């Protein structure tokens, strides 16, 4: 697969989620089935080792096997894919890119080192070295809302001027006060906003797509929503309002109770039911049980008809 350039980076990308057995071992047969499913949908592409794939809780041998499996299947079907080389350790991030580079992804996703805060000069030094090792494969900066180093849109814009291989940024949260800065940023890099805010992000001229949490419910429905947004923004916003209301009523309360983001994404996948892999997240994190899934699924079918009508 040829490395992407900025204008190619857009649309709805679906995440791998890692199935675990009762002993916290990865079920690679189930993972292979999941990749087959994702690559058969209308997603613009798939990616590995984001938060939903629990990148922070894998051995390096597991990391390699996951990405080798995804790469082989995506190349066979000519489906674009990105590899998350994220890690809290800068050395491990660098090593992950060096090992995975031969798999020829469209891009690498990366986070800033996340134990100590990195100052602006250190951010540039880190990304320059990452870009050197990943070249000619470009990089996408993942900046979650809980990151230790807090970046403003103007700071990301400054980084993009130093790092020519930085073609995209994944923003974990939208700050309405920074809309204008994000629009300026979008002139330099492809900006991806959270899946449940996709319509408002695209309407404001900020977003070109999403590494989508709502695609966990149904990848094809998420892609259809993206197409609706492009054709009829008011209808797209109507659907977004339903999604946000559903999240406020049924998902955000679990976040406030302390469930991690990976558990919430697995809940959404189980609720959708297109390709269930179970709700288990790896020790020591808390998982959802089937009774919780059944209750949320009933609400989702009632409150998100757009995401269940397709199938």
């Amino acid at each position: 697969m040829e490395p992407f350039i900025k204008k190619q980076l857009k649309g709805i990308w679906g995440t791998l989620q890692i199935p675990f057995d009762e002993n916290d071992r990865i079920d690679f047969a189930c993972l292979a089935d999941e990749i087959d499913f994702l690559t058969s949908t209308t997603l613009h592409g798939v990616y590995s080792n984001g938060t939903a794939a629990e990148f922070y809780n894998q051995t390096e041998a597991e990391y390699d096997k996951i990405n080798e499996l995804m790469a082989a299947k995506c190349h066979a079907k000519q489906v674009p894919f990105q590899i998350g080389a994220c890690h809290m350790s800068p050395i491990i991030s660098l090593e992950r890119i060096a090992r995975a580079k031969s798999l020829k992804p469209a891009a690498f996703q990366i986070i800033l080192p996340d134990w100590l805060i990195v100052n602006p000069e250190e951010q540039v030094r880190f990304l320059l070295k990452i870009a050197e090792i990943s070249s000619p494969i470009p990089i996408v900066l993942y900046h979650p809302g809980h990151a230790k180093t807090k970046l403003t849109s103007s700071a990301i814009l400054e980084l993009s001027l130093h790092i020519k291989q930085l073609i995209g940024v994944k923003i974990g949260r939208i700050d309405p006060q920074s809309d204008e800065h994000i629009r300026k940023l979008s002139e330099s890099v492809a900006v991806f906003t959270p899946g449940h805010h996709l319509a408002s992000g695209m309407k404001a001229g900020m977003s070109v797509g999403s590494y989508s949490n709502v695609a966990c419910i149904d990848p094809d429905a998420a892609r259809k929503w993206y197409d609706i947004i492009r054709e009829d923004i008011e209808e797209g916003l109507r659907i977004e309002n339903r999604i946000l209301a559903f999240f406020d009523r049924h998902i955000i309360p679990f976040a406030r109770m302390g469930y991690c983001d990976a558990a919430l994404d697995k809940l959404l996948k189980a609720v959708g039911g297109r390709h269930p892999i179970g709700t288990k997240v790896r020790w020591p994190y808390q998982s959802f049980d089937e009774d919780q899934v059944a209750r949320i699924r009933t609400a989702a079918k009632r409150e998100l008809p757009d995401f269940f009508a397709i199938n």
Side-chain angles (χ1 to χ4, degrees):
M1 181 172 297
E2 292 297 316
F4 266 24
I5 59 176
K6 173 182 176 284
K7 68 179 182 180
Q8 293 174 286
L9 189 58
K10 59 186 177 181
I12 305 300
W13 291 67
T15 178
L16 267 61
Q17 295 181 359
I18 308 302
F20 297 105
D21 66 18
E22 65 277 6
N23 296 311
D24 269 339
R25 295 173 301 204
I26 296 177
D27 184 340
F28 281 100
C30 183
L31 179 62
D33 289 342
E34 181 194 9
I35 298 170
D36 286 338
F37 164 69
L38 289 172
T39 55
S40 70
T41 68
T42 54
L43 289 167
H44 290 89
V46 299
Y47 66 101
S48 67
N49 291 79
T51 299
E54 302 176 65
F55 74 84
Y56 47 82
N57 206 6
Q58 297 172 10
T59 68
E60 295 308 284
E62 289 171 337
Y63 170 87
D64 292 343
K65 190 170 181 179
I66 289 166
N67 288 306
E68 288 165 4
L69 181 61
M70 179 183 70
K73 288 182 173 293
C74 287
H75 281 306
K77 289 189 175 182
Q78 297 185 316
V79 172
F81 68 98
Q82 298 175 46
I83 291 177
C86 302
H87 200 277
M88 293 71 70
S89 160
I91 293 297
I92 294 178
S93 291
L94 205 63
E95 291 175 345
R96 286 184 167 190
I97 285 179
R99 295 199 311 273
K101 185 176 174 180
S102 63
L103 300 178
K104 298 182 178 180
F108 283 111
Q109 293 182 22
I110 195 76
I111 62 170
L112 293 176
D114 204 52
W115 179 250
L116 298 174
I117 293 173
V118 282
N119 66 38
E121 181 180 347
E122 292 165 340
Q123 295 163 24
V124 172
R125 291 174 63 194
F126 170 73
L127 291 173
L128 280 174
K129 187 66 173 178
I130 290 290
E132 176 190 340
I133 299 303
S134 70
S135 180
I137 299 168
I139 55 178
V140 175
L141 179 62
Y142 175 24
H143 184 54
H146 55 74
K148 183 67 64 67
T149 301
K150 303 299 182 185
L151 294 177
T152 63
S153 52
S154 58
I156 298 172
L157 176 60
E158 185 67 22
L159 287 174
S160 73
L161 300 178
H162 289 281
I163 316 298
K164 300 305 181 184
Q165 281 176 246
L166 180 61
I167 64 168
V169 58
K170 175 184 178 183
I171 297 174
R173 294 177 183 170
I174 291 181
D175 177 4
Q177 302 302 316
S178 65
D179 284 1
E180 190 58 42
H181 294 105
I182 295 176
R183 278 191 287 272
K184 186 172 179 61
L185 174 63
S186 67
E187 297 172 7
S188 297
V189 297
V191 176
F192 281 70
T193 46
H196 50 299
H197 291 287
L198 180 61
S200 53
M202 290 179 68
K203 180 179 181 180
M206 297 185 298
S207 179
V208 296
S210 179
Y211 298 104
S212 179
N213 55 351
V214 296
C216 296
I217 303 173
D218 189 313
D220 292 313
R223 168 60 191 270
K224 183 177 180 181
W225 180 37
Y226 170 83
D227 292 338
I228 288 171
I229 294 168
R230 297 182 66 202
E231 297 169 3
D232 184 350
I233 186 60
E234 294 307 318
E235 176 64 9
L237 288 167
R238 183 194 67 79
I239 295 172
E240 178 178 292
N241 287 335
R242 295 181 74 115
I243 293 170
L244 292 175
F246 170 78
F247 271 53
D248 285 343
R249 281 191 289 266
H250 305 291
I251 305 301
I252 302 302
F254 287 118
R256 292 178 180 144
M257 290 166 59
Y259 284 87
C260 70
D261 287 349
L264 297 175
D265 285 337
K266 279 187 171 173
L267 172 63
L268 291 174
K269 190 177 186 74
V271 164
R274 287 289 307 278
H275 186 269
I277 61 167
T279 58
K280 181 173 174 53
V281 288
R282 199 171 226 175
W283 172 90
Y285 298 96
Q286 184 177 5
S287 306
F288 289 95
D289 60 40
E290 288 303 317
D291 288 342
Q292 291 168 308
V293 172
R295 178 168 58 82
I296 305 302
R297 181 184 293 127
T298 298
K301 288 184 175 181
R302 179 180 65 250
E303 299 175 27
L304 296 178
D306 310 276
F307 274 73
F308 289 88
I310 288 181
N311 299 290

